[in-house]
Amino acid sequence: MNNMTSDGALKLAPTQLLIGGERRDSSDGALMDVYDPATASVFTQVADGSVEDGLSAVEAAAAAGPGWAATPPRQRGEVLRRTFELMTEHAEELAHLMVLENGKALRDARSEVAYAAEFFRWYAEEAVRGFGELGTAPSGANRILVMRQPVGVCVLVTPWNFPAAMATRKIGPALAAGCSVVLKPASDTPLTALAIGALLEEAGAPAGVVNVVPSRKSGPVVSAMLHDPRVRKLSFTGSTEVGRALLHEAADTIVNTSMELGGNAPFLVLDDADVSAAVEGAMLAKMRNGGEACTAANRFYVHRSVADEFSRGLADAMGHLVVGPGSDPATELGPLVNPAAVEKVEELVAGALDEGARALLGATRPDRTGWYYDPTVLTNVGSTNPILGEEVFGPVAPIVVFDDDEEAIAAANDTEFGLVSYLYTGDLARGLRVAEALEAGMIGLNRGLVSDPAAPFGGVKQSGIGREGGHEGMLEYLESKYIAVQW
Ligand code: NAD
């Protein structure tokens, strides 16, 4: 990346906390390092929020909440619409910022900015549609009036893999519903969140409506906020492990929760599938964001009759990916986010090979500085290979062969996760039957990408509770109040 772009990106992102419309250092003066995964070196520092800062942000959000809730929905929508426009105007800087702190390829970062901004446009349109209901009680004695009211102060906790979209997917509906928020972004990627906070301010979000508190002390900071009785909502995106711990914490004060957790997506290729379309879909489902997506295809189940053709096709496509620093526009696969991520992928692949898998491609680390792992395709993967039970979160595709649909469905469902499943077949009716049987909140049917701000995103089983996006996304930030009325 040239320095001009890097400087422009960094100019967009303040490095202090955003609390009550003010830029602040952390109360104890602590700073945290932000790393560039392509060079494995620190490129800036950001204020490292303390428990006290988290609670100040809750205070600011609580103070701003009633005014924002009373702001006409159209006006709230206009702030979101203006933020969409500002994100679009600054799309290049935002994309470069994400490349810097996350490592992802510029093309992935550009798509993410467009996807992330779209949540503001969608919820600008939804803000004016928070309608209630009116009906007659079955007895005829009275009317049933249901109104929707903002849930209150929301704590939003987001992961590093989509630093922009995971934040806007929460802030958009929360603000549309009339809630004020405290965003705690992932420690590896605080800058994008701070930049989005600044754009919301510029778009006219009143002081205190959006607060951003990065912190490396996530546990204590989030816990303190959840135990503050002014906080009424937790929306979390991240691992199932941390989500489970936060559900325990939220139980203490019965905080309303939305949970977008881990995935272990199966990708099924039936015997009648168009194999080249399946390979194309697999490339998207597996390699978008370098495999670091909760929606990433994690396990491939391919019918025996097409398994060789599919495996060779996928290895060929993955083998042609250009690996390099995300800032180079030619790069198709950037580094992983941190050294722990690389170690985890290495361990999973080594374990899979020990259990009899064969590397058709990769299973290696390139010889370069930075946190890279090569595109990898594993065949001869037995149905009990441990790699199938873990979220790989990297550019690795294990392929399992199956003989009939029932066997594939049973294998796909044999997991505690249930976020998304992918399925390729030439027969749509058969595809819909299999889709019904798959235990997942979302299905990609002859399609390797499901995410869409207009659609309800979320999982079943241990992949989460609630939905983000679509009409349903705003309901997560609204309470229904029922009034029994007689007239
Ligand atoms: P993570 O669970 O480690 O962290 C997520 C967030 O929680 C971060 O902000 C982190 O700082 C914070 N956190 C960590 N420990 C905490 C604690 N004890 N208390 C409070 N907060 C804490 O997840 P990650 O590594 O950032 O992200 C990857 C995970 O996120 C994967 O499992 C992926 O599947 C999942 N994810 C899910 C979705 C979805 O929509 N379902 C989307 C993206 C990512």
Side-chain angles (χ1 to χ4, degrees):
M1 177 171 38
N2 67 45
N3 281 336
M4 281 305 287
T5 325
S6 171
D7 291 350
L10 286 170
K11 255 188 221 141
L12 205 63
T15 55
Q16 288 171 297
L17 314 175
L18 173 61
I19 298 177
E22 285 173 14
R23 303 272 155 214
R24 296 195 198 163
D25 292 330
S26 70
S27 64
D28 56 9
L31 291 169
M32 59 200 217
D33 293 335
V34 188
Y35 286 83
D36 174 357
T39 58
S41 59
V42 176
F43 67 92
T44 193
Q45 288 186 312
V46 163
D48 183 359
S50 63
V51 164
E52 200 181 323
D53 295 319
L55 294 176
S56 301
V58 169
E59 169 98 40
W68 183 246
T71 301
R74 175 68 75 204
Q75 220 170 302
R76 296 202 298 260
E78 275 161 8
V79 170
L80 293 175
R81 172 74 202 197
R82 178 79 189 115
T83 317
F84 159 76
E85 283 158 9
L86 286 170
M87 277 189 78
T88 307
E89 236 168 76
H90 293 289
E92 273 302 284
E93 295 105 298
L94 282 167
H96 280 279
L97 198 55
M98 279 195 279
V99 169
L100 259 178
E101 64 177 355
N102 169 282
K104 64 177 69 189
L106 186 56
R107 64 176 197 167
D108 281 330
R110 285 177 172 147
S111 319
E112 184 182 344
V113 176
Y115 172 57
E118 187 60 24
F119 283 102
F120 286 140
R121 178 156 64 175
W122 174 262
Y123 285 106
E125 291 158 353
E126 287 293 291
V128 292
R129 299 196 173 85
F131 300 124
E133 290 165 28
L134 177 64
T136 301
S139 66
N142 60 287
R143 299 292 150 84
I144 293 172
L145 173 63
V146 181
M147 60 166 70
R148 311 241 190 257
Q149 294 183 308
V151 63
V153 174
C154 305
V155 170
L156 313 177
V157 181
T158 52
W160 49 262
N161 64 338
F162 292 102
M166 297 304 96
T168 63
R169 197 162 83 172
K170 298 184 189 304
I171 299 171
L175 264 57
C179 298
S180 53
V181 306
V182 180
L183 170 65
K184 207 301 287 170
S187 334
D188 283 332
T189 55
L191 291 165
T192 307
L194 288 163
I196 289 171
L199 294 180
L200 278 152
E201 270 190 300
E202 191 182 336
V209 169
V210 177
N211 305 277
V212 185
V213 183
S215 176
R216 286 239 178 238
K217 301 168 276 272
S218 310
V221 171
V222 174
S223 174
M225 291 195 284
L226 289 182
H227 287 91
D228 185 314
R230 291 169 296 188
V231 170
R232 294 314 316 141
K233 170 91 197 177
L234 165 67
S235 179
F236 172 79
T237 298
S239 60
T240 295
E241 187 191 352
V242 173
R244 187 177 292 115
L246 291 180
L247 279 169
H248 281 290
E249 298 250 14
D252 290 340
T253 37
I254 317 290
V255 168
N256 177 321
T257 55
S258 297
M259 293 276 150
E260 295 287 349
L261 308 177
N264 181 2
F267 188 107
L268 275 53
V269 184
L270 306 192
D271 53 354
D272 61 356
D274 173 340
V275 175
S276 59
V279 168
E280 214 176 291
M283 286 300 288
L284 253 180
K286 176 74 254 178
M287 296 309 300
R288 187 172 72 102
N289 221 41
E292 292 178 308
C294 53
T295 50
N298 206 52
R299 310 171 278 150
F300 291 82
Y301 293 99
V302 186
H303 191 269
R304 190 174 302 279
S305 63
V306 290
D308 273 352
E309 188 187 351
F310 177 83
S311 306
R312 276 186 277 105
L314 186 60
D316 185 49
M318 282 178 62
H320 279 91
L321 289 175
V322 178
V323 181
S327 55
D328 181 342
T331 292
E332 293 169 301
L333 176 63
L336 299 184
V337 69
N338 58 34
V342 181
E343 277 160 32
K344 181 183 165 199
V345 173
E346 262 187 325
E347 269 172 35
L348 285 172
V349 170
L353 295 173
D354 278 352
E355 291 291 316
R358 272 201 302 271
L360 189 57
L361 178 75
T364 43
R365 282 178 71 164
D367 181 20
R368 63 191 315 155
T369 311
W371 299 317
Y372 292 90
Y373 196 83
D374 284 319
T376 296
V377 176
L378 303 176
T379 55
N380 202 41
V381 178
S383 58
T384 56
N385 196 305
I387 198 169
L388 304 174
E390 298 276 339
E391 195 177 21
V392 180
F393 245 58
V396 179
I399 299 177
V400 183
V401 173
F402 71 84
D403 289 298
D404 67 65
D405 290 6
E406 294 314 312
E407 180 193 346
I409 292 166
N413 289 342
D414 185 19
T415 167
E416 68 266 30
F417 296 105
L419 189 61
V420 57
S421 299
Y422 302 92
L423 160 66
Y424 272 75
T425 171
D427 176 347
L428 203 52
R430 184 181 177 196
L432 287 168
R433 276 196 302 276
V434 176
E436 270 193 5
L438 289 171
E439 295 168 359
M442 301 174 286
I443 307 281
L445 177 48
N446 290 336
R447 189 167 162 77
L449 176 72
V450 295
S451 304
D452 189 321
F457 184 107
V460 301
K461 295 159 83 176
Q462 294 192 29
S463 285
I465 302 171
R467 295 292 180 267
E468 292 192 315
H471 304 297
E472 290 171 53
M474 198 165 79
L475 293 176
E476 303 273 326
Y477 296 90
L478 291 167
E479 292 280 19
S480 294
K481 180 180 279 174
Y482 150 55
I483 304 175
V485 56
Q486 216 161 340
W487 65 66

